[in-house]
Amino acid sequence: MSTLRICFRDAAIGAADAPIFRHFSWVVEPFQAWVITGANGSGKSALAQALAGGLPVTSRSPETNQWSERPDADAVALISFERQREIVFDERYHDDGEFMDGGVDPGTAALDFILRRKRGAAMPPITAPARLEQLVRRLGIGPLLGRGVKYLSTGEIRKVLLCRELLREPTLLIFDEPYEGLDAATRVVLREEIERLVAESVQPSGEALGPRPSNVLVITDRYEHVPQATTHVLHIVDRGVAFAGTRKDFEARGIPSELKQLGAAETAVLNETLAATVAGEERAGQGPGRPLIELRNVVVSYGGRRVLSDLSLSIRTGEHTLVRGPNGCGKTTLLNLINGDNPQVYANDVTVCGMKRGSGESIWQVKARLGQVSYALHVEYAYRCYASLIETVLSGFHDSIGLYREPNYSEISAAERWLGVVGLTHKRAEPFSQLSYGEQRVALILRAVVKQPELLILDEPCHGLDARHRSEVLTIADYIGQHTDATLLYVTHDPDEQLACTRQVFEYRAQGWVLTVV
């Protein structure tokens, strides 16, 4: 039975000298299912971190002299990009590949991760085998159990993490942007699971079957992702409560503009701004139709598992290409062969921007011709970078993680113009690490486009963006595709994100990779 009560009374959340929230009040009663929504940077994820014990909370109501009520942090499970990033960091920290035969450390197997088994430790018996079997079957992760966590895709890690957390039956289960980066099939599986959990959490009696968390909290900036059984909405604007009440009352007021895509008039203004921003910048000056990417019969394997098999792909300048396929089909591996981040490129026939890989060219010669955004780059930046927002954008001119050269006037001018396009000029001096996840993503997109590269690789660029920023990014990408010399290579799982400038689709189907001209 769900009896959890959450109560913040006049709370400050975050560091004492610079709290994220001040005078924050919010009450969750038993049998209520809440969603927290708001634009990027509003503070949604900070609330999740506070509930999970990741941020300090100081609170006292002068009227009642009562402290806030929260579940013990150990009883809270958080499913989020940040949590997945921590898992990747931990696997990287413990990687012993340089001391192993073949130079490859398989890492922690998914089953060991789910059961919280430490590396090298004796394997105790599974305490709830029937429950584990049920979750593995429901989430469809049986084939993943023997694979290393660090070799799983974004969607695969999320399902494995959810299985791990459900197995310990937490008091509070928090989903922060649960569907980002997932393919259509995985979204269906996860949506069914979340809908089931939310519906069970509002049952006032023993009607729900089997173990379950007492409360489920969903955080999303896409209102269409709100579970059907949700009863209440907390809407956050600029780190303050704009609305807290029933879902019915929230929807009766009308969905706020910051949760909607750009309107036609706003899109027209953005295109005018883009025209002015791009107009004065240097173009690549490439001839039309020149071969840009050539992959011939590519084969890539990890630990005996073949990820790509006899794959061939040709992209000429101006052939903006959309790449689609389920989680784990090899999309990221494909992109890493192109951008030079996969060493197996030297064992294959790969030519990028006229340079045949393994013919004496350096990785930096290749990267100088590319701009890219990806999950891996975001993790790398979050792990290593201490740059400010504008330094992050400027680093795109030098293909570095952080800025280590003095930028010139034209570079600074270009970076500032792009920050103006997305309305982030006022945050130019803020550290990258202190921006919201969505703002970090936008910063990395600007980093990719600022030098107007010959090839622009966008791997799930809208991951973590609210509706407004999502439509901004899609408008920017499409404008670049239609009005500059850059050729786009775009990966997405969202069917609504196909750009108008797309010329061909490279898609993984049951029979393998298929190229279709649009």
Side-chain angles (χ1 to χ4, degrees):
M1 182 181 294
S2 174
T3 59
L4 177 67
R5 187 171 189 269
I6 300 172
C7 181
F8 290 88
R9 296 185 180 93
D10 197 28
I13 300 175
D17 57 341
I20 298 172
F21 284 89
R22 303 173 186 268
H23 308 296
F24 175 75
S25 296
W26 177 44
V27 177
V28 176
E29 299 289 356
F31 315 119
Q32 292 180 348
W34 284 76
V35 63
I36 301 178
T37 190
N40 292 141
S42 60
K44 305 185 303 297
S45 295
L47 294 179
Q49 294 173 41
L51 287 167
L55 284 175
V57 177
T58 55
S59 166
R60 197 172 201 170
S61 170
E63 292 81 13
T64 63
N65 202 39
Q66 291 179 311
W67 296 98
S68 293
E69 302 171 36
R70 290 176 292 148
D72 291 337
D74 291 341
V76 178
L78 175 59
I79 311 294
S80 67
F81 170 82
E82 287 77 12
R83 183 70 188 94
Q84 291 184 214
R85 186 174 64 192
E86 291 171 5
I87 294 166
V88 173
F89 286 174
D90 185 67
E91 286 293 295
R92 176 183 294 181
Y93 180 79
H94 291 98
D95 191 300
D96 293 328
E98 59 184 305
F99 306 111
M100 305 178 74
D101 291 339
V104 177
D105 181 354
T108 304
L111 179 60
D112 291 337
F113 174 79
I114 290 170
L115 297 177
R116 301 173 186 273
R117 291 171 173 166
K118 294 184 178 180
R119 289 189 174 205
M123 295 188 179
I126 300 173
T127 56
R131 175 63 170 161
L132 175 62
E133 182 181 350
Q134 177 195 46
L135 290 171
V136 167
R137 182 176 62 255
R138 211 156 73 190
L139 296 172
I141 59 175
L144 309 179
L145 298 182
R147 290 171 54 191
V149 171
K150 63 184 174 184
Y151 295 114
L152 301 180
S153 70
T154 301
E156 290 168 341
I157 291 178
R158 192 161 312 162
K159 289 194 290 185
V160 166
L161 176 59
L162 178 58
C163 181
R164 168 182 165 126
E165 297 300 349
L166 288 176
L167 195 62
R168 72 181 178 96
E169 301 174 22
T171 301
L172 177 63
L173 179 58
I174 305 173
F175 292 94
D176 191 353
E177 301 296 352
Y179 305 119
E180 294 295 343
L182 304 186
D183 59 43
T186 304
R187 286 188 183 196
V188 170
V189 171
L190 189 57
R191 182 177 294 111
E192 290 176 352
E193 188 64 22
I194 292 176
E195 292 284 0
R196 180 204 312 271
L197 293 166
V198 173
E200 289 178 351
S201 73
V202 298
Q203 298 287 350
S205 64
E207 298 173 31
L209 300 177
R212 55 174 172 78
S214 296
N215 272 44
V216 178
L217 177 63
V218 176
I219 300 174
T220 181
D221 50 38
R222 301 186 68 177
Y223 199 74
E224 65 269 26
H225 290 166
V226 174
Q228 290 296 317
T230 298
T231 60
H232 289 71
V233 175
L234 175 66
H235 182 218
I236 303 296
V237 175
D238 293 332
R239 303 179 182 183
V241 177
F243 177 89
T246 67
R247 177 177 181 175
K248 181 180 179 181
D249 288 345
F250 180 74
E251 293 177 354
R253 292 158 55 113
I255 305 302
S257 60
E258 62 266 29
L259 301 181
K260 298 179 180 179
Q261 297 183 4
L262 295 178
E266 292 173 309
T267 301
V269 170
L270 177 56
N271 277 318
E272 291 175 4
T273 305
L274 286 167
T277 300
V278 171
E281 301 198 2
E282 186 176 341
R283 302 295 184 88
Q286 59 203 25
R290 183 172 57 82
L292 191 62
I293 297 173
E294 295 285 344
L295 293 88
R296 300 179 182 88
N297 306 117
V298 165
V299 175
V300 176
S301 300
Y302 295 109
R305 176 178 174 269
R306 185 165 286 193
V307 180
L308 297 178
S309 180
D310 297 321
L311 180 147
S312 296
L313 173 65
S314 176
I315 299 176
R316 306 177 80 84
T317 57
E319 289 181 338
H320 308 301
T321 303
L322 171 64
V323 180
R324 284 195 299 227
N327 292 126
C329 72
K331 299 186 301 298
T332 298
T333 300
L334 168 65
L335 296 186
N336 286 343
L337 287 173
I338 294 170
N339 66 27
D341 287 337
N342 189 316
Q344 294 192 44
V345 67
Y346 300 110
N348 284 284
D349 188 352
V350 178
T351 300
V352 179
C353 298
M355 293 176 283
K356 183 174 176 58
R357 302 310 313 278
S359 62
E361 84 298 336
S362 74
I363 182 65
W364 298 109
Q365 287 176 305
V366 175
K367 287 184 179 295
R369 313 280 283 275
L370 314 179
Q372 61 179 320
V373 178
S374 68
Y375 166 80
L377 178 66
H378 198 150
V379 169
E380 195 73 15
Y381 243 89
Y383 186 60
R384 293 173 46 192
C385 182
Y386 301 95
S388 67
L389 170 57
I390 192 167
E391 288 171 342
T392 299
V393 177
L394 286 165
S395 70
F397 287 108
H398 309 289
D399 309 304
S400 57
I401 306 296
L403 187 63
Y404 307 99
R405 301 181 186 178
E406 190 70 28
N408 59 42
Y409 174 79
S410 63
E411 291 173 344
I412 294 173
S413 178
E416 289 180 335
R417 288 200 304 274
W418 280 108
L419 286 174
V421 167
V422 297
L424 287 177
T425 303
H426 64 293
K427 293 193 173 185
R428 67 193 303 279
E430 288 195 20
F432 179 85
S433 60
Q434 293 182 18
L435 299 171
S436 73
Y437 173 74
E439 289 168 337
Q440 290 179 356
R441 199 69 167 185
V442 170
L444 294 178
I445 291 166
L446 299 188
R447 174 187 179 273
V449 305
V450 70
K451 67 177 181 182
Q452 288 210 275
E454 196 170 338
L455 176 64
L456 180 57
I457 301 174
L458 302 175
D459 186 2
E460 293 287 349
C462 293
H463 185 289
L465 300 186
D466 58 42
R468 189 172 189 84
H469 281 109
R470 187 181 300 265
S471 57
E472 281 183 348
V473 166
L474 294 175
T475 300
I476 291 170
D478 193 58
Y479 188 94
I480 289 172
Q482 298 202 44
H483 298 281
T484 78
D485 290 332
T487 299
L488 274 58
L489 184 60
Y490 189 97
V491 177
T492 182
H493 291 113
D494 195 326
D496 296 328
E497 291 182 8
Q498 181 164 330
L499 304 175
C501 67
T502 302
R503 295 293 175 264
Q504 56 187 18
V505 177
F506 194 49
E507 186 169 19
Y508 186 86
R509 301 174 184 169
Q511 69 272 31
W513 287 96
V514 178
L515 183 67
T516 304
V517 177
V518 178

